[in-house]
Amino acid sequence: MSAEEDEANERRWAEIEFVRSAYGEDEAWVDEKEQTIYRRLLLVSAPDDIGIPVLLSLTMPDGYPIDEGAILVIDARVSDDAVGTSSSSYTAKHHLRKVVMDSLPSMIEACRSSALEYVGSESIFAVLSRADEWISTDFVDIVESSSHINTDEADEVGTKPQCDNGLVLGRRLIHSHHIIAQSKRKAIVELAQQHSIGGYFKIGWPGIIVIEGEERDCMAYVDEIRSMRWQHLVVRGEEQQEVSDREELEQLRVLPNKMHELGDDMSCVAERCKEAGLEELFLTSMKIYSKKESASIDASNQKENTKSSSYSYGALCHVDHMRDGKGYRKWLRKASAASGCVLLVKACDSNAKKPLIVVSILGEESDVKRVLKRWRTSRVDVDSAGKPCLERMMTVLIEGKLSQPQNKNVEMDSLDQEDQLVVSDQTICNILEAIGGSKWKNEFESLLHMR
């Protein structure tokens, strides 16, 4: 056996031992002969107190984790019957099982994407973490969307407007993890043209598609979009309006007759929806389902409003260095945006050998923790040889609920710009005090004194 094979075996066994020490025997186990790790997961519908057990399998091929061509083989299947209270109805259990079956390909794809990020190195922990993250975020969205759109399938008649002529004007807001690939952007436009659908779509993290057209065309369009491979895609909001004839349907349309790409700025989507009188539909992109009279969106400050409303929790971190600074900061911005968090990266170089770098992440507690977890387990920088590597020298200075209301004069989006990266010590102190009060300011000042 070669030295490389010895090393691969040793590193595989180290990961197996990690799994055995991190999980109970009923949570995860190993088939040593097949070199397969099994993880038992429970996909739960909280409102119904029902869970569907799923068995995730990670098989380590020969050469893993050293060989870059040896990627984990990942699969998942429903393992047992639904578990839950005896009062849970058969219909609810059957519905959740169907939701789980339909969404498993999304979980598998998310886990495979995570494995690909770690080609040539250990990836078991990252994949298991991604599976847990998918259950706590993506699957929750899927269940909520299913419950919101199909509140009572048994009483479906009357839940949507019906007309004698069968014509209904429909609208949808579709939320995806991201829209980047040119092939998907092209398909979004071409499918809209085929189905006589119009509207807007935002690329980047997250992806947003807002459509309008005849209800049957909207349904067909959504079905075709869902058939494509997505890390996560869900209908967050929908509207129906009955019409007497096609002429009235065309008169009531408030979105363009063709699909238009808006770039990656969420405020552009907010602006267009406000102009069209679709504020309530837009708010569903943030899982806000409220009466239209209570929805007040000002497109000029949509970013500030949506983000400042989530400034309940924050983390202030110190990063020792960034070898690939631009790529590192780009990763941080994407990871934060994907979790609905606000990011601020600042550096000061006051008479020091190297800049002092601090990173602020603001949002809801679960979202901030998700970004921190991804940060610790992702290849965010490069080593001295230029190879992607994990971050080993990031320190969380302070994390927790923010002790004061957010200063609305702190415009995070305008502050987090590449051309404003390096600023004075006092400027950073002022910004951090406005965000997290004296505690954040004191942590930064302590860091300065240690230099």
Side-chain angles (χ1 to χ4, degrees):
M1 185 177 291
S2 67
E4 187 173 280
E5 289 174 325
D6 282 339
E7 181 184 353
N9 284 335
E10 182 179 344
R11 289 167 65 177
R12 279 201 300 271
W13 278 108
E15 287 205 281
I16 288 173
E17 289 305 314
F18 159 75
V19 171
R20 285 173 170 163
S21 62
Y23 300 98
E25 293 181 357
D26 59 336
E27 296 176 316
W29 57 94
V30 181
D31 183 330
E32 295 183 8
K33 183 178 180 180
E34 298 295 331
Q35 289 288 283
T36 299
I37 294 171
Y38 293 97
R39 172 80 168 99
R40 187 177 185 271
L41 304 166
L42 191 63
L43 277 61
V44 177
S45 172
D48 301 311
D49 194 23
I50 308 170
I52 302 294
V54 167
L55 192 63
L56 176 68
S57 63
L58 314 177
T59 300
M60 298 179 282
D62 292 340
Y64 171 87
I66 295 177
D67 186 353
E68 292 193 356
I71 304 170
L72 287 177
V73 179
I74 301 172
D75 201 3
R77 60 180 176 82
V78 174
S79 60
D80 300 300
D81 292 332
V83 297
T85 62
S86 58
S87 60
S88 302
S89 70
Y90 171 81
T91 301
K93 292 177 181 178
H94 177 75
H95 173 70
L96 181 61
R97 187 180 182 87
K98 183 178 184 302
V99 171
V100 170
M101 293 291 289
D102 290 343
S103 61
L104 274 187
S106 171
M107 184 184 78
I108 294 170
E109 182 65 23
C111 290
R112 287 173 178 170
S113 296
S114 183
L116 287 171
E117 289 183 15
Y118 290 83
V119 168
S121 66
E122 289 84 345
S123 56
I124 296 292
F125 173 72
V127 172
L128 293 177
S129 297
R130 182 66 183 97
D132 290 336
E133 178 186 349
W134 184 91
I135 292 171
S136 63
T137 57
D138 298 41
F139 186 68
V140 170
D141 279 352
I142 292 170
V143 172
E144 285 184 0
S145 174
S146 173
S147 300
H148 177 68
I149 295 172
N150 302 301
T151 306
D152 188 356
E153 292 182 354
D155 190 27
E156 189 171 357
V157 176
T159 61
K160 295 183 179 180
Q162 298 294 328
C163 304
D164 293 338
N165 58 17
L167 279 178
V168 175
L169 175 64
R171 301 185 184 98
R172 299 288 190 281
L173 187 139
I174 306 168
H175 182 283
S176 75
H177 182 269
H178 64 269
I179 300 175
I180 294 296
Q182 287 291 341
S183 58
K184 286 184 179 175
R185 291 155 72 173
K186 182 179 179 182
I188 288 170
V189 174
E190 290 181 348
L191 287 172
Q193 186 175 3
Q194 293 174 21
H195 292 285
S196 301
I197 293 293
Y200 302 106
F201 70 102
K202 171 199 168 295
I203 62 173
W205 286 261
I208 301 290
I209 308 173
V210 185
I211 64 171
E212 180 184 57
E214 188 178 342
E215 175 66 13
R216 285 173 292 192
D217 293 331
C218 289
M219 294 171 67
Y221 181 82
V222 171
D223 286 343
E224 290 211 47
I225 288 292
R226 277 178 169 159
S227 69
M228 301 163 62
R229 295 183 64 181
W230 300 89
Q231 183 168 334
H232 171 58
L233 182 135
V234 64
V235 175
R236 283 271 177 90
E238 63 176 71
E239 294 181 354
Q240 291 85 25
Q241 187 172 0
E242 57 183 305
V243 296
S244 58
D245 52 37
R246 188 164 293 279
E247 181 179 356
E248 184 183 8
L249 185 146
E250 294 300 327
Q251 289 176 349
L252 291 174
R253 293 180 74 146
V254 294
L255 297 178
N257 289 331
K258 293 184 178 180
M259 185 64 70
H260 296 271
E261 181 177 313
L262 296 179
D264 62 356
D265 191 342
M266 182 69 90
S267 65
C268 288
V269 185
E271 178 97 30
R272 299 298 190 279
C273 287
K274 179 177 175 63
E275 291 173 352
L278 301 179
E279 299 98 327
E280 186 174 352
L281 184 63
F282 172 76
L283 285 176
T284 65
S285 67
M286 296 170 283
K287 296 191 285 188
I288 299 175
Y289 300 97
S290 59
K291 295 297 182 181
K292 194 166 186 175
E293 52 267 25
S294 67
S296 177
I297 300 176
D298 183 348
S300 64
N301 65 2
Q302 176 59 31
K303 284 184 178 180
E304 180 185 78
N305 289 347
T306 57
K307 291 178 179 178
S308 64
S309 65
S310 298
Y311 289 5
S312 60
Y313 195 89
L316 175 62
C317 309
H318 170 233
V319 180
D320 183 76
H321 62 271
M322 294 181 176
R323 284 197 173 93
D324 177 16
K326 189 173 182 181
Y328 198 141
R329 292 188 292 275
K330 182 178 180 181
W331 185 94
L332 283 171
R333 291 186 181 109
K334 285 184 176 180
S336 297
S339 295
C341 290
V342 183
L343 179 80
L344 182 64
V345 182
K346 289 296 174 189
C348 58
D349 59 358
S350 54
N351 301 318
K353 293 182 179 179
K354 63 180 180 180
L356 190 156
I357 306 168
V358 290
V359 178
S360 302
I361 306 169
L362 309 177
E364 295 182 2
E365 181 175 355
S366 59
D367 296 331
V368 172
K369 288 184 178 296
R370 188 182 314 124
V371 175
L372 290 173
K373 188 174 184 179
R374 285 193 64 190
W375 192 354
R376 293 185 178 104
T377 59
S378 299
R379 296 181 181 186
V380 295
D381 203 4
V382 296
D383 59 20
S384 56
K387 295 182 179 181
C389 65
L390 299 174
E391 175 57 76
R392 300 298 189 191
M393 302 185 71
M394 180 273 284
T395 304
V396 178
L397 301 175
I398 184 170
E399 177 187 352
K401 292 184 178 180
L402 299 180
S403 59
Q404 64 179 50
Q406 294 311 299
N407 187 333
K408 293 185 178 179
N409 294 321
V410 181
E411 298 179 2
M412 301 293 291
D413 292 303
S414 63
L415 287 174
D416 189 33
Q417 302 293 330
E418 281 293 310
D419 59 358
Q420 299 178 24
L421 175 66
V422 181
V423 295
S424 68
D425 298 352
Q426 188 58 51
T427 298
I428 295 179
C429 279
N430 293 341
I431 293 172
L432 296 182
E433 185 174 22
I435 293 172
S438 59
K439 290 184 178 180
W440 280 44
K441 178 185 176 183
N442 293 341
E443 286 292 339
F444 177 69
E445 289 179 337
S446 298
L447 186 64
L448 285 174
H449 294 151
M450 293 172 61
R451 300 184 73 184

